[in-house]
Amino acid sequence: MSNSNEEIFDFPCDYSFKVFGKKTPGFKQIVCDIIEPHSGQLHNNQITKKVSSKGAYVSLTVKIIATSRAQLDRINEELQKCPQVAYLL
């Protein structure tokens, strides 16, 4: 039995991006500027920030309501192309 990518998710659904990068003043805004055109305006309650133990890196967990696999793929692709993003889950 095989499932297509669309069948894995029951759209619309909650989805979280975990984005890692160097701790810089504009990192959160850069990530938001990438995600918002695809998901609508993000609010502070959708974003969780955690700084690494040595303070050099930050991880952002951004929660959206995903509407399609294509939407998720576009966001992932743009985040991966961003030079400030070190790692993406």
Side-chain angles (χ1 to χ4, degrees), residues 59-74:
S59 71
L60 298 175
T61 302
V62 182
K63 298 177 184 178
I64 68 165
I65 296 176
T67 57
S68 70
R69 182 63 191 206
Q71 174 198 35
L72 297 177
D73 290 344
R74 285 190 304 268

Side-chain angles (χ1 to χ4, degrees), residues 4-63:
S4 72
N5 285 338
E6 290 292 328
E7 292 173 346
I8 294 171
F9 297 100
D10 187 17
F11 294 106
C13 64
D14 292 334
Y15 189 87
S16 294
F17 292 93
K18 189 138 189 165
V19 187
F20 299 86
K22 290 215 177 213
K23 186 180 175 217
T24 58
F27 183 69
K28 179 180 173 184
Q29 190 60 52
I30 290 167
V31 171
C32 289
D33 288 346
I34 292 171
I35 296 175
E36 283 180 336
H38 305 286
S39 67
Q41 184 177 4
L42 296 170
H43 301 281
N44 284 334
N45 64 346
Q46 292 174 267
I47 304 165
T48 305
K49 178 180 174 180
K50 190 172 187 180
V51 179
S52 67
S53 60
K54 295 184 180 179
Y57 290 89
V58 64
S59 71
L60 298 175
T61 302
V62 182
K63 298 177 184 178

